[in-house]
């Protein structure tokens, strides 16, 4: 055989061998789970309703956790809105838990939030946390020890909607329990129905000031050293999310390293959804600015809220090159939502560009670029 014919033949064999090696590597490589924060995580989710917690008034506690024996997971406390039920946030909680988080909620009595206020309620979290530490440290051989070995108490964060966002912020601002960060869904500070010394201002607390809701004047932007992720409703005002005490007011006070997303056609209660029809939710939703002509549905709003929660929690509690790549995909995703009226008011992740998942930036339209 002539030398000129042997060389291409050798090259073909080398290429074939390289291809076979590549296929073998791909077959043995670990699967990549949920590259996109809006997709479910790799864990199936379990539920636990303990009866022996230290909370007063027989308040019900709901724990959502990743199933399996995959080690311990960060702990998230999720706080409900005014008179809202834990079950109204199931879509958000299940999604976040599937990414590997243990989420604890509780539901107060119907009249408690207005009657007793947040100054008393915040005192109940530390005993609940101590109880959780005990539950997670017991031997898991007994079937009801659902949380045995499940919780990494060195990584903790808070989430909350409406008044729950206020509670989350009060806990975040207080260094007692060392929460790493917060995720706020249309938070409300000083509403018209929550005034006086029983209702401390969360906006003031974030800025390092102890003040009640009858004397607080919202602090200017940048006075806090704390950062958080916030998604807010574009329909504001009135009793539900009053001006100067709504999501935008929280953003003005938090650090410039915060993420802030606004859904222009969302009402205050669009971030919650009861599993079955609720007359109270229907009244509440209409009172808080529900818009039947909205360009975005409640389910889409909830989807964006839970996506933001995962993106932020992963960036703060599990930072890695992989997380950075997923944040690039998330930014690209947010750019596509401008037609739905989802505005990225502030993007704090420097060096994370849309399209950088593959190591190169992509061109975006001027309209989309303006949103980030």
């Amino acid at each position: 055989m002539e030398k000129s014919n042997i060389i291409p033949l050798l090259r073909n064999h080398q290429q074939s061998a390289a291809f076979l090696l590549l296929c073998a590597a791909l077959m043995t490589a670990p699967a990549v789970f949920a590259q996109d924060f809006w997709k479910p995580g790799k864990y199936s989710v379990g539920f636990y309703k303990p009866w022996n917690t230290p909370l007063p008034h027989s308040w019900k506690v709901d724990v959502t956790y990743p199933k399996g024996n995959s080690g311990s997971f960060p702990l998230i406390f999720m706080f409900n809105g005014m008179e809202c039920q834990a079950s109204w946030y199931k879509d958000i909680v299940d999604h976040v838990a599937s990414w590997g988080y243990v989420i604890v909620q509780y539901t107060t009595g119907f009249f408690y939030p207005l009657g007793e206020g947040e100054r008393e309620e915040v005192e109940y979290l530390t005993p609940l946390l101590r109880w959780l530490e005990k539950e997670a440290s017991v031997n898991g051989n007994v079937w009801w020890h659902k949380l045995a070995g499940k919780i990494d108490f060195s990584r903790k964060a808070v989430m909350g909607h409406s008044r729950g966002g206020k509670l989350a912020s009060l806990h975040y601002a207080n260094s007692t329990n060392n929460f790493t960060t917060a995720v706020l869904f249309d938070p409300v500070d000083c509403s018209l129905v929550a005034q006086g010394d029983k209702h401390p201002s969360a906006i003031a607390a974030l800025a390092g000031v102890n003040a009640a809701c009858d004397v607080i004047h919202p602090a200017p932007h940048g006075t806090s050293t704390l950062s958080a992720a916030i998604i807010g409703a574009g329909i504001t005002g009135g009793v539900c999310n009053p001006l100067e005490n709504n999501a935008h007011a929280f953003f003005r006070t938090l650090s410039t390293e915060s993420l802030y997303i606004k859904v222009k056609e969302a009402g205050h209660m669009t971030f919650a959804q009861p599993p079955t029809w609720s007359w109270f939710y229907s009244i509440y939703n209409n009172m808080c600015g529900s818009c039947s002509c909205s360009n975005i549905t409640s389910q889409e709003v909830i989807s964006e809220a839970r996506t933001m929660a995962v993106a932020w929690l992963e960036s703060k509690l599990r930072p890695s090159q992989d997380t950075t790549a997923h944040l690039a995909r998330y930014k690209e995703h947010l750019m596509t939502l401008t037609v739905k009226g989802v505005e990225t008011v502030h993007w704090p992740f420097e060096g994370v560009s849309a399209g950088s998942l593959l190591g190169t930036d992509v061109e975006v339209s001027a309209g989309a670029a303006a949103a980030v």
Side-chain angles (χ1 to χ4, degrees), residues 51-62:
W51 57 270
N52 60 337
T53 74
L55 291 182
H57 315 301
S58 300
W59 289 350
K60 294 179 180 179
V61 173
D62 292 79

Side-chain angles (χ1 to χ4, degrees), residues 74-115:
L75 173 63
I76 314 295
F77 286 98
M78 170 70 187
F79 300 96
N80 309 336
M82 177 80 74
E83 312 291 9
C84 297
Q85 305 291 305
S87 62
W88 295 9
Y89 304 98
K90 179 176 173 58
D91 284 350
I92 292 176
V93 168
D94 286 2
H95 184 79
V96 176
S98 76
W99 276 77
Y101 295 91
V102 175
I103 303 178
V104 178
Q105 302 168 271
Y106 64 82
T107 300
T108 67
F110 190 75
F111 296 106
Y112 178 87
L114 292 178

Side-chain angles (χ1 to χ4, degrees), residues 91-317:
D91 284 350
I92 292 176
V93 168
D94 286 2
H95 184 79
V96 176
S98 76
W99 276 77
Y101 295 91
V102 175
I103 303 178
V104 178
Q105 302 168 271
Y106 64 82
T107 300
T108 67
F110 190 75
F111 296 106
Y112 178 87
L114 292 178
E116 301 305 326
E118 298 80 32
R119 196 174 296 280
E120 177 181 293
E121 187 173 340
V122 293
E123 299 296 325
Y124 297 135
L125 189 66
T126 297
L128 181 59
L129 184 56
R130 299 290 86 82
W131 175 84
L132 283 166
E133 289 172 349
K134 184 177 179 180
E135 285 286 301
S137 65
V138 299
N139 190 311
N141 293 331
V142 184
W143 68 268
W144 62 79
H145 290 159
K146 304 288 188 181
L147 303 180
K150 283 282 185 185
I151 304 176
D152 177 359
F153 290 94
S154 68
R155 294 182 291 172
K156 302 189 296 293
V158 284
M159 299 194 303
H161 168 238
S162 187
R163 175 181 180 268
K166 174 178 182 170
L167 284 165
S169 298
L170 288 169
H171 288 297
Y172 183 31
N174 185 342
S175 61
T176 300
N177 290 314
N178 297 315
F179 290 108
T180 300
T181 193
V183 178
L184 310 177
F185 309 113
D186 207 36
V188 174
D189 190 16
C190 299
S191 68
L192 298 176
V193 296
Q195 298 286 314
D197 189 59
K198 290 183 177 181
H199 303 281
S201 168
I203 289 176
L206 290 168
V209 177
N210 181 14
C213 275
D214 54 351
V215 296
I216 180 62
H217 298 285
H221 173 59
T223 59
S224 179
T225 59
L226 301 173
S227 62
I230 313 168
I231 185 167
I235 301 173
T236 61
V239 167
C240 297
N241 49 3
L243 299 175
E244 303 305 326
N245 287 284
N246 59 16
H248 191 71
F250 278 82
F251 171 66
R252 288 203 313 267
T253 299
L254 285 161
S255 159
T256 53
E257 296 179 357
S258 300
L259 171 63
Y260 180 29
I261 298 168
K262 182 167 68 174
V263 188
K264 295 180 180 179
E265 295 182 15
H268 182 59
M269 291 303 297
T270 317
F271 297 91
Q273 186 66 55
T276 57
W277 183 85
S278 165
W279 65 268
F280 179 73
Y281 175 84
S282 298
I283 294 173
Y284 209 174
N285 191 31
N286 290 330
M287 180 178 69
C288 293
S290 172
C291 180
S292 59
C293 60
S294 176
N295 189 41
I296 190 167
T297 66
S298 176
Q299 192 54 48
E300 287 174 308
V301 173
I302 290 171
S303 177
E304 292 313 312
R306 69 192 190 190
T307 298
M308 182 196 75
V310 171
W312 185 257
L313 292 172
E314 290 289 289
S315 73
K316 296 301 179 182
L317 299 179

Side-chain angles (χ1 to χ4, degrees), residues 321-340:
Q321 289 185 340
D322 188 54
T323 302
T324 300
H326 296 342
L327 285 171
R329 292 269 293 174
Y330 178 47
K331 185 175 184 180
E332 192 173 342
H333 166 77
L334 286 171
M335 287 179 176
T336 67
L337 293 173
T338 53
V339 294
K340 287 283 188 178

